[in-house]
């Protein structure tokens, strides 16, 4: 019991120092099984110290976006900024390219701004994006099926992920709930994080699209680290910390 208590105290210390921990690395560090570490993290989660995340846990105080906003609220907030971001992001799509538009209100503006070109192929899991693209008669559209999540009108699940197995696209436009230099790109919904990671694997280039309100936010489920992003499209101006990260990790910044 003493060893267990000491190990959990050390896990808490590491979370306070780093913000998050991973099961595999903790198991190696303490020379115990991954099942033991999972029990430790569950114990800490039950006491409000941590929140479980994919493959590990995040210090509860580091999670600064508690709930996902309703879809109607997402559509209306920062509308003009998202519209500008959408137009700029759409201009990055070249004739002959295939792209994935992740679900979200910002990526919907990309769909609205895309040129109606028969040489462009768009893959998406978002019902509203599908509706926008249906009105464009020349764009090729591939809809990822699965289970409909009505909270954001998008499809998720094993079917959705499996549909990407045989696809390779030129660009992924990834909407985000949180964009933090240290914690990476995060989301509220675990199936979305799983699907987004599969989209990243299928894409030659990963382009994050977000308004500045998402900078510094951390949600429960990590999608990818900042150094895995190839470009960022946002509304300007961009603060020095983001520009420093751009120089350090090598991603381009496009400001609308």
């Amino acid at each position: 019991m003493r060893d267990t208590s000491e190990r959990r105290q050390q896990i808490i210390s590491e979370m306070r120092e780093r913000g998050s921990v991973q099961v595999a690395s903790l198991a190696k560090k303490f020379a115990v099984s991954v099942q033991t570490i999972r029990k430790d993290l569950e114990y800490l989660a039950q006491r409000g110290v941590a929140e479980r995340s994919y493959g590990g846990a995040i210090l509860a105080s580091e999670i600064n976006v508690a709930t996902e906003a309703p879809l109607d609220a997402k559509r209306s907030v920062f509308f003009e900024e998202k519209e500008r971001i959408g137009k700029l992001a759409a201009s990055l799509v070249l004739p002959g390219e295939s792209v994935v538009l992740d679900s979200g209100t910002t990526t919907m503006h990309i769909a609205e701004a895309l040129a109606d070109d028969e040489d462009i192929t768009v893959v998406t899991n978002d019902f509203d994006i599908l509706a926008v693209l249906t009105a464009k008669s020349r764009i090729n559209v591939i809809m990822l099926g699965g289970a409909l999540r009505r909270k954001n009108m998008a499809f998720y699940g094993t079917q959705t992920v499996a549909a990407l197995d045989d696809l390779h696209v030129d660009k992924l436009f990834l909407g985000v709930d949180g964009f933090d230099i240290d914690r990476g790109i995060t989301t509220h919904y675990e199936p979305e994080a799983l699907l987004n990671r599969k989209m990243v694997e299928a894409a030659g280039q990963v382009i994050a699209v977000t308004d500045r309100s998402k900078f510094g936010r951390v949600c429960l489920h990590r999608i990818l680290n900042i150094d895995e992003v190839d470009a960022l499209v946002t509304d300007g101006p961009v603060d020095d910390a983001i520009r420093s990260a751009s120089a350090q990790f090598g991603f381009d910044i496009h400001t609308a």
Side-chain angles (χ1 to χ4, degrees), residues 25-43:
S25 60
L26 289 176
K28 183 177 180 180
K29 177 179 179 178
F30 294 109
V32 296
S33 68
V34 293
Q35 290 83 2
T36 296
I37 295 298
R38 289 194 183 107
K39 289 179 181 179
D40 290 340
L41 297 183
E42 288 293 342
Y43 176 88

Side-chain angles (χ1 to χ4, degrees), residues 110-132:
I110 300 176
E112 291 172 342
L114 276 176
D116 192 3
D117 190 326
E118 63 186 3
D119 289 331
I120 294 175
T121 298
V122 178
V123 180
T124 189
N125 67 313
D126 188 292
F127 184 86
D128 290 334
I129 289 175
L130 174 64
V132 168

Side-chain angles (χ1 to χ4, degrees), residues 32 53 67 186 248-249:
V32 296
S53 64
T67 58
T186 55
Q248 179 182 355
F249 298 120

Side-chain angles (χ1 to χ4, degrees), residues 236-249:
V238 176
D239 63 31
D240 291 341
I242 298 294
R243 292 205 175 276
S244 295
S246 168
Q248 179 182 355
F249 298 120

